[in-house]
Amino acid sequence: VVLVLVKLHVTECFKKIGQRQPLNIFAAQEIDRLQVVLVLVKRTLQDLKLAIAGTIVMSAELQEALDNLVDARVPSRWVAVSWPAPNMGLWFSELVQRYHQLNDWMEKDRPPKYWLTGFFNPQGFLTSVRQEVCRAHARDGWSLDGMQTKSDVLKQEKHEVERGAAEGVYIYGLFLEGCSWDKPRQKCKESAPKEMVKELPVVHVTGIEASHRQGRKKGDLNKFMCPVYKYPARNDINWIFDCELNCEEEVHHWIMRGVALLCTTD
């Protein structure tokens, strides 16, 4: 069953939780993009049902969609408005997860933690976070142009987070490639044999004025600015932001190992 979000209902829900707040504006934009996917999927399946019954002509587009679905692949028209996936099962599972995250946000209020992989525009999500932090510090003279993203890896797993952050947001769903994570000591470590990726605990992401960022003190661990990518293909298009990871070794040690964070390993 494909659920379609009703525009009027969406507007009314966001009026209740604050439709002018940057993160809620972002959520409304994400819902609009997900709506395009849901409408296309629903229309394609309805037309396929009619074409198979002989009620309408089986067009080339419908035939291509049918062939892909039979082979458990995602139709190219669906990928064009959504996201890539190796098979239909993973794609549909992500569709359901995205729907539930946005629908719960709309119906109940902001979630205590966010699944970063489930956003079409994760860069826009982080921009909205910086905007809200900047507004909270307006009296301190903070400006959006001078804001930087600040991140800290926590010890909590996603199921342990029940309340949202006092400032900023909690995100999850990031996977370390090229190294592992020492959870008790909260730092990078070498990967175990045959360990390709390691899921990172919850990450606290917020914004900070560049002039307020403190330098490294004596005895502190090094900070590796680890690039976060939306998909395994590492390029400028898929880059989201740089996440701060603690490490004892020099930063170039992990750069030479090609360490990165991925939102999905598929």
Side-chain angles (χ1 to χ4, degrees), residues 68-81:
N68 282 322
L69 291 173
V70 168
D71 294 335
R73 291 182 285 114
V74 187
S76 58
R77 289 187 66 202
W78 295 8
V79 175
V81 297

Side-chain angles (χ1 to χ4, degrees), residues 25-42:
I25 293 173
F26 165 81
Q29 293 170 347
E30 287 287 309
I31 288 174
D32 287 341
R33 292 192 63 174
L34 185 62
Q35 177 79 325
V36 172
V37 181
L38 293 172
V39 169
L40 177 61
V41 171
K42 183 177 181 180

